[in-house]
Amino acid sequence: MNALIKSATIVDSKSKFHNEMVDILIEKGRITQISNHISNLNNYQEIKLDNLHVSQGWFDSSVSFGEPGYEERETIANGLKTAGHSGFTAVALNANSNPVIDSYADITFVKSKAQDNAVSLYPIGALTQGSKGEDLAELFDMSNAGAVAFYDYQEPISNPNLMKIALQYASNFDGLVISFPQESKISGLGVVNEHINSTKLGLKGNPALAEELQVARDLFILEYTEGKVHIPTISTAKSVELIRAAKAKKLNVTCSVAIHNLVFTDDVLQEFDTNFKVLPPLRTQTDCEALIEGLKDGTIDMVTSDHNPIDIEAKKIEFDYAKYGTIGLESAFGVLQNIFTTKKTIHILTQGKSRFSISETTVNEGEIANITLFNPDITYEFNTSNISSRSKNSAFLGNALRGKPYGIVANNKIILNNG
């Protein structure tokens, strides 16, 4: 693949051309020249777009595509296409499928479905067999097959001894254990944040305590085992405090937050819109502010869309019975731009790769081209026409967003949005 990108502003603090408007020559998938002006002598494909900016390729640490088993929600092929159109060159795929991805063969299967794609797929294997929380899955075998971490998607490990053994075992091969932060006996049948709104709406509450107890427990176990853990999608102010203290003690812990937990509170539940039924639930404004502060000071390591396509039959029902989840790949950039500067947004979208053993490439001469193209300034209302996913269950429908991805150049391929 050969291409010439014209008049692009580079947003990459690790590039010698950071903040400069330049031309970028790509030959055979590698950046061969960056300069103020490059002539298209070989008649390569020319990419010239309005207010074009480029950065390192973006990464999402938590996406679900459904396949195998839930292809009506999303397929791997269309999920990766959606990720590319949304500006992501790499995604970590959850074991949120049927059957659950919990063996060497399963990891090999999902990797084969993503071969020769512009977007790189990094599978996360289930931590326990069938994600049932009873017996460890084939962690070492899955690691050899290419699993980058181990996680029972949105299923808490209720047995603390099992969590201890998982951390001890995985440390033998530098495996990353992911533990969902919820104490199920405390959360019970709660479907929304336990607070004033849950009482007003007559919906069962899932208290912040359920998350915080599990985070505290896992951090104690981590300290004992000296293992390596990632806590996904935290949602409370106290969780931020707990992880901040653990990092001060030099524990090997990272964490993420879902984008929707940064911007929405449980006040949006007044209309019982099931697109806002997510796990962990939407919390309070105090929690949102603490999460944003945690991102600013580095306590929270990465942001995820927690992209989870759900078919309409599982969403257009009573709130209590609707499935948890919202899609988020397509809206991620525009939402973050409403909160942070472009520089900070790009930093957020490009960090976290090393935690998942993914190599980082910068926008410099000689590097393999793994870049995202975007316009940071365009504003628009997000609607179904902006959704590439098979499922349309977005919490961000009708929201005003700032900034749009144009596409990506990665794996010796180009994906560009129309227009």
Side-chain angles (χ1 to χ4, degrees), residues 154-166:
Q154 294 189 345
E155 295 289 344
I157 302 299
S158 59
N159 183 343
N161 191 52
L162 185 63
M163 183 64 185
K164 175 179 75 75
I165 293 170

Side-chain angles (χ1 to χ4, degrees), residues 236-286:
T236 78
K238 184 65 175 178
S239 292
V240 177
E241 290 179 21
L242 289 166
I243 293 169
R244 185 178 287 124
K247 288 190 169 188
K249 294 167 70 173
K250 306 299 183 185
L251 298 188
N252 194 348
V253 58
T254 53
C255 66
S256 69
V257 60
I259 293 175
H260 44 267
N261 284 105
L262 292 174
V263 296
F264 295 124
T265 71
D266 56 2
D267 289 337
V268 300
L269 300 173
Q270 304 296 331
E271 302 298 323
F272 296 92
D273 184 345
T274 58
N275 284 334
F276 293 115
K277 186 179 180 181
V278 291
L279 195 66
L282 303 174
R283 304 286 187 184
T284 68
Q285 186 61 37
T286 299

